[in-house]
Amino acid sequence: MLLSLSWLREFTPYRGSIDELSHRLTMVGLEGEEIVRPFAHLSPMVVGRVVEKKQHPGADKLSLCSVDAGTGENLSIVCGAPNVQAGQNVAVALEGTELPGGQVIKKTSIRGETSQGMICSEAELELGQDSSGIMVLDGAFSPGTGLRRALDLEEFVLDIGVTPNRPDCLSVMGLAREVAALFDLPLYKPVLDLHEDNSRHCPDEVQIEIDDPSGCPLYQARIISGCAIKPSPDWMRYRLMAVGVRPINNIVDITNYIMLEQGQPLHAFDRDLLEGDRIRVDRSRPGFKFPTLDEQERELNDQDLLIWDSEKPVALAGVMGGANTEINEHSTRVLLECAVFNPLSIRQTARRLGLHSESSFRFERGVDQANAPFALDRAAQLMSELGQGRGYQGVSRAEPRPCKPVQVYFRRERANSLLALDVDQEYCRRVLTSLGCEVQEEGGAMQVTVPIYRPDITREVDLIEEIGRVYGLDKIPEHLPKVQKSMHHEDADSEYRFLGAVKQWARGLGLQEAINYSFVGMADLDYLGVPLEGRVKVFNPLSEEQDVMRTHLLPGLLNTLKHNLGQGNTRLKLFEAARSFEQDSSSETGVRENNRLALLLYGRRHRGHWPHPEDDADFYDLKGLVENLLGAFGGLEGRFVLHREHPCLEPAVECICREKTLGVLGRGAPDKARAYKARKDIWYCDLDLDLLHSLGSRSRPQFQPLPRFPVVKRDMTIVTPMELAYHQLRDVVENAGVDILEDISLVDVYLPPERQEKKLTLRLTYRHPERTLKDSEVDREQQKLADLLLKKLPVGFP
């Protein structure tokens, strides 16, 4: 955003230097990126007075002028302009001056006559398009006066970097409001003095219809008749040029002027080129082609918003007008549009078409719906004054979704606590009021109504930030934090220590940590089949690939895998300990954050060097990591159950610990894995670290003496149906109440070719803590378990 100091001073009486202004704005988050001198090329130019003009003796179309340029003696300058006359004040480039086009003025001879400078036209000075003659200046200036000073051109312009959450600062008015608050200055708003033609009524001439209220919450229009299309006055042209806008004509220039001043984009249609008495806002049709003002034909889709008259589309809403209704030199009646469009819709259209404009830049970030009527009336007033037009009475208007200001409860004590300051109630009230807030005292607190132009303020902490910004974050004194507990006390169960221990565990097992953005793409989640419910959308995403908060860690790890495979790294053992985000109305922020652990294995189990075999990692590698994790944090044991359906894992296995689902692990679906350049199986696991922390913190290691008596091991081979899971056998055995049974493990699985049943071999370990077992005791317990299995489950023995 380019800010002109003279323009700023029309709204607030700032008298400091531009360097001071740049520093102060930078300290409050509006970075002064550069101080620009837009008319630096005119610094050597001076005002000259044509003392005498006579015909060039050697050329019919040239004049020989004697010019007083304030140098002490008159200069002889040969001029070819037809409008040069004695007594005129003109713009003179002296000897040695470099013109904007690169030409250096030298003392030279033209047709035998010496020329000691150059009398310039608007075009040669890059102050306009007129090259038909020289630029004639006001006669009040003395010869030798600097041209920039004579024309009252801006010396300095401040280029300010405005963050996406501050659309209010994309206007001179918005920046003036900030400056007034920062320097405790008054703020002035332009006074409206709009005279309307009471004999004609705008609502009778044009009706507004909005078929898509979500894309256009407000549309309003005025009609100005009797306009004369001509160049804008010098003060407006020069002001627009100073901030990088090319003047076109008075009507178009006024729309640009109001956009820069008020932050409200406008568009002017030639009313006589509009069909019928209706303006309609609706979506385009797929494949529809529309010619825009830049003489390009754009192919649209059904997400693009168009402005229609009774017969045809006339503008690409919020982006660019149409060539079929643009203002031209014959226009006399103007329909002036002032609307508010959905920022996301405008951003998508502008990016897809590669069609970015000053208007779309502001609509993408959001404009002040409450200020739109004022901006429309101010533009209509300027068109009446500078275009000799007359506005119809009234406004054609449709507002299906009126704006509603946000109300926030503010406590001074809370502000002082967070900012480490001691500001009083009156200071807080004055700051918030200067920023445009309405403040009502309620006891010792305040009920603050936030203006529509500040969409970034939604919570009490946002208001506190505003107090800190205006006070000066760089001025807040330094204080050591108050320590509430002994420095020697360590909370072993803290979340921070637990997450650190998990990361240390993973690194100790040879896993490499991946750190991904918390933002992912909606398309990634859709592709992986993640449910729509609970997704937290980002209001101002950096890109379409980062438009939603992650509900799962899988998209980030898959993109990490894709990147590594693209770099030739085909053996990966990754982990990521991070948070997922889901909507939760019960949360203070509306979002529930959950610590998760994701593991991903791809490629060979070992590095491929002798003596290790060149086989790939599989499910048992992943399951082993999970079992190791459970044992390391609380000595827990997990049960693994096949999960029949999962959006992106085939197969998927649930990990159940103490009857709670801890997470899921399995193989990535091959059809989805191919999109990430995977040519082998992807083994992935996702675990709930918050639940693991809770379960593990309840367990404490207990001492057991080393056993003094030997174990007795017996194997038992059981014939089971194919669908019977091992954990069902284990549950029956463990709940049988055999006191001397110390352990049970699966040592072999036989799957016959016909696959109608399978054979599982269990190894049962027996031990008595006080004596050596006899074979008869073990045989009796072994038989007891066999009978119980036959009774409880559909199994047999070979």
Side-chain angles (χ1 to χ4, degrees):
M1 173 68 191
L2 293 173
L3 176 64
S4 159
L5 277 188
S6 64
W7 204 347
L8 171 71
R9 287 168 178 152
E10 291 185 4
F11 295 92
T12 189
Y14 174 75
R15 297 304 173 198
S17 68
I18 193 167
D19 292 294
E20 181 186 2
L21 178 63
S22 176
H23 173 74
R24 193 74 175 94
L25 290 176
T26 298
M27 289 296 101
V28 297
L30 299 168
E31 183 179 359
E33 297 180 343
E34 185 182 6
I35 296 176
V36 182
R37 300 185 64 192
F39 300 107
H41 61 284
L42 299 181
S43 297
M45 310 291 180
V46 297
V47 175
R49 181 168 294 147
V50 181
V51 178
E52 181 184 8
K53 171 201 170 184
K54 57 184 179 181
Q55 181 68 41
H56 189 291
D60 294 339
K61 295 184 178 181
L62 296 179
S63 301
L64 186 59
C65 302
S66 177
V67 179
D68 180 4
T71 59
E73 60 180 36
N74 293 347
L75 304 177
S76 176
I77 299 177
V78 176
C79 180
N83 63 329
V84 63
Q85 297 294 333
Q88 292 176 335
N89 271 4
V90 294
V92 177
L94 301 175
E95 185 179 349
T97 299
E98 183 177 349
L99 295 178
Q103 179 186 357
V104 178
I105 303 301
K106 300 178 181 178
K107 182 178 180 180
T108 185
S109 176
I110 302 177
R111 297 288 183 94
E113 296 292 335
T114 300
S115 183
Q116 298 172 292
M118 178 177 177
I119 303 176
C120 302
S121 67
E122 278 189 356
E124 289 165 334
L125 298 175
E126 294 188 351
L127 290 176
Q129 303 297 319
D130 187 4
S131 59
S132 61
I134 60 169
M135 185 177 184
V136 180
L137 306 177
D138 192 316
F141 298 108
S142 302
T145 304
L147 183 62
R148 189 196 63 78
R149 177 186 169 193
L151 297 179
D152 195 23
L153 300 177
E154 194 71 50
E155 182 176 7
F156 299 110
V157 169
L158 181 58
D159 189 359
I160 300 172
V162 180
T163 53
N165 67 324
R166 292 300 306 274
D168 59 302
C169 292
L170 292 174
S171 66
V172 178
M173 185 69 187
L175 290 172
R177 188 184 297 112
E178 287 283 307
V179 173
L182 294 175
F183 293 92
D184 196 19
L185 298 171
L187 180 69
Y188 306 119
K189 193 174 183 178
V191 177
L192 282 179
D193 186 22
L194 176 61
H195 300 286
E196 298 178 315
D197 182 358
N198 297 331
S199 65
R200 310 192 71 171
H201 300 276
C202 186
D204 297 337
E205 176 80 14
V206 173
Q207 291 80 46
I208 308 297
E209 297 179 6
I210 300 179
D211 295 340
D212 185 8
S214 65
C216 179
L218 168 67
Y219 193 100
Q220 50 189 357
R222 274 189 174 275
I223 295 178
I224 300 93
S225 64
C227 294
I229 307 301
K230 57 185 180 180
S232 298
D234 291 345
W235 66 266
M236 177 174 283
R237 291 193 301 112
Y238 298 156
R239 181 164 283 181
L240 291 176
M241 292 168 64
V243 294
V245 177
R246 180 175 63 89
I248 298 175
N249 58 55
N250 53 349
I251 300 301
V252 176
D253 291 350
I254 288 170
T255 62
N256 288 329
Y257 187 87
I258 296 301
M259 176 186 67
L260 295 170
E261 180 189 87
Q262 299 293 325
Q264 173 64 57
L266 305 170
H267 185 68
F269 297 98
D270 186 327
R271 176 64 185 95
D272 294 324
L273 298 179
L274 294 171
E275 303 287 345
D277 60 356
R278 183 178 58 162
I279 293 293
R280 185 167 60 90
V281 184
D282 197 7
R283 299 286 176 181
S284 173
R285 299 186 298 271
F288 186 82
K289 294 184 178 180
F290 177 68
T292 49
L293 281 173
D294 57 358
E295 300 180 353
Q296 299 291 320
E297 193 171 64
R298 314 282 179 175
E299 184 171 342
L300 310 180
N301 62 26
D302 57 1
Q303 296 302 308
D304 298 323
L305 200 63
L306 285 173
I307 310 300
W308 304 69
D309 62 13
S310 298
E311 304 291 337
K312 63 185 181 300
V314 294
L316 188 56
V319 180
M320 188 172 285
N324 52 3
T325 54
E326 69 175 312
I327 297 295
N328 57 71
E329 65 272 16
H330 305 297
S331 300
T332 58
R333 287 202 304 162
V334 174
L335 186 136
L336 182 60
E337 168 198 277
C338 179
V340 176
F341 300 111
N342 182 286
L344 180 60
S345 174
I346 302 303
R347 184 183 309 115
Q348 290 174 340
T349 297
R351 290 187 179 180
R352 185 177 57 79
L353 297 177
L355 188 58
H356 297 279
S357 62
E358 290 288 340
S359 293
S360 68
F361 186 79
R362 286 162 174 78
F363 279 126
E364 287 175 23
R365 286 152 179 78
V367 298
D368 182 6
Q369 186 168 337
N371 189 57
F374 177 84
L376 177 65
D377 290 345
R378 175 146 169 77
Q381 176 183 332
L382 288 176
M383 288 184 182
S384 297
E385 294 173 354
L386 306 182
Q388 289 78 52
R390 185 100 172 155
Y392 287 13
Q393 186 176 41
V395 177
S396 298
R397 176 186 177 94
E399 189 173 18
R401 296 190 177 181
C403 56
K404 296 179 180 179
V406 174
Q407 290 192 329
V408 180
Y409 191 69
F410 175 81
R411 297 162 293 174
R412 180 181 65 87
E413 295 79 9
R414 178 65 172 160
N416 285 332
S417 174
L418 287 181
L419 296 174
L421 293 174
D422 186 19
V423 293
D424 57 31
Q425 190 87 342
E426 175 58 25
Y427 178 81
C428 295
R429 186 198 61 77
R430 188 170 70 252
V431 168
L432 296 177
T433 302
S434 69
L435 294 173
C437 299
E438 296 180 7
V439 178
Q440 290 184 343
E441 302 279 350
E442 292 187 2
M446 303 179 189
Q447 188 70 29
V448 180
T449 302
V450 181
I452 299 299
Y453 56 75
R454 289 303 301 270
D456 57 312
I457 301 179
T458 58
R459 302 171 297 167
E460 182 184 26
V461 70
D462 297 326
L463 292 174
I464 294 172
E465 181 186 9
E466 294 303 299
I467 300 294
R469 280 195 327 113
V470 175
Y471 182 90
L473 296 177
D474 55 323
K475 299 177 183 178
I476 295 177
E478 298 176 357
H479 296 286
L480 286 174
K482 186 176 180 180
V483 178
Q484 301 286 352
K485 61 183 180 180
S486 168
M487 295 294 287
H488 299 288
H489 176 73
E490 293 184 359
D491 185 2
D493 291 331
S494 72
E495 177 184 307
Y496 176 79
R497 288 178 59 85
F498 173 72
L499 293 177
V502 169
K503 293 181 180 181
Q504 186 63 33
W505 165 85
R507 287 190 289 265
L509 289 177
L511 303 179
Q512 292 181 304
E513 183 175 7
I515 301 176
N516 291 296
Y517 286 113
S518 298
F519 311 122
V520 296
M522 190 77 74
D524 285 336
L525 295 179
D526 292 339
Y527 180 76
L528 295 173
V530 176
L532 286 170
E533 294 77 15
R535 296 187 189 179
V536 182
K537 295 182 180 179
V538 179
F539 284 121
N540 294 301
L542 299 174
S543 67
E544 292 184 1
E545 289 75 27
Q546 295 180 328
D547 58 355
V548 66
M549 302 294 285
R550 62 186 175 200
T551 53
H552 290 265
L553 305 188
L554 180 57
L557 278 183
L558 286 178
N559 282 312
T560 300
L561 170 67
K562 180 179 179 181
H563 177 76
N564 275 270
L565 293 177
Q567 302 300 316
N569 187 7
T570 59
R571 178 180 177 269
L572 294 170
K573 299 171 72 175
L574 303 175
F575 81 94
E576 183 172 13
R579 293 185 178 184
S580 63
F581 305 84
E582 292 189 30
Q583 292 181 4
D584 184 0
S585 58
S586 63
S587 171
E588 180 183 356
T589 62
V591 177
R592 181 178 72 256
E593 300 183 23
N594 180 208
N595 287 303
R596 312 289 301 184
L597 174 66
L599 308 176
L600 185 145
L601 304 180
Y602 181 86
R604 292 180 178 177
R605 177 179 291 115
H606 305 289
R607 292 189 179 277
H609 305 309
W610 183 89
H612 301 298
E614 296 185 358
D615 52 354
D616 292 335
D618 58 21
F619 173 77
Y620 295 104
D621 295 280
L622 189 64
K623 180 171 177 284
L625 289 174
V626 175
E627 291 174 330
N628 187 294
L629 176 69
L630 297 181
F633 293 91
L636 304 172
E637 291 188 3
R639 183 160 55 88
F640 298 88
V641 180
L642 184 65
H643 190 68
R644 296 300 178 185
E645 294 184 3
H646 192 276
C648 48
L649 296 181
E650 297 177 3
V653 175
E654 284 188 346
C655 177
I656 299 174
C657 186
R658 294 186 179 174
E659 303 309 316
K660 294 184 178 181
T661 300
L662 186 62
V664 64
L665 59 158
R667 183 185 64 180
D671 58 328
K672 291 181 169 59
R674 282 192 290 270
Y676 297 90
K677 299 184 180 180
R679 298 296 179 263
K680 296 181 179 181
D681 289 340
I682 299 174
W683 297 100
Y684 176 77
C685 171
D686 177 69
L687 300 175
D688 186 341
L689 284 183
D690 291 333
L691 177 57
L692 177 62
H693 187 200
S694 173
L695 296 176
S697 62
R698 302 173 193 171
S699 302
R700 288 292 181 270
Q702 295 181 350
F703 172 77
Q704 288 185 345
L706 293 174
R708 295 182 296 151
F709 299 94
V711 299
V712 178
K713 295 184 179 182
R714 297 289 176 86
D715 289 350
M716 179 187 294
T717 299
I718 305 171
V719 180
T720 73
M722 293 295 294
E723 65 273 9
L724 188 72
Y726 162 67
H727 76 84
Q728 295 176 267
L729 298 173
R730 184 185 181 97
D731 289 346
V732 171
V733 172
E734 289 181 342
N735 295 324
V738 178
D739 294 335
I740 61 174
L741 181 66
E742 185 177 87
D743 186 40
I744 175 175
S745 59
L746 179 66
V747 296
D748 191 29
V749 177
Y750 174 68
L751 300 176
E754 58 273 12
R755 295 291 182 108
Q756 295 180 352
E757 58 185 12
K758 59 186 177 183
K759 294 180 181 180
L760 305 181
T761 299
L762 308 182
R763 179 158 295 164
L764 306 171
T765 302
Y766 299 91
R767 188 200 308 265
H768 196 287
E770 301 296 335
R771 58 183 174 83
T772 301
L773 290 172
K774 298 179 181 180
D775 285 344
S776 59
E777 292 179 280
V778 176
D779 291 341
R780 186 168 56 252
E781 297 299 336
Q782 185 88 342
Q783 186 60 46
K784 177 182 175 181
L785 291 176
D787 294 340
L788 188 61
L789 287 170
L790 290 172
K791 181 180 179 180
K792 296 282 188 179
L793 298 172
V795 299
F797 296 95

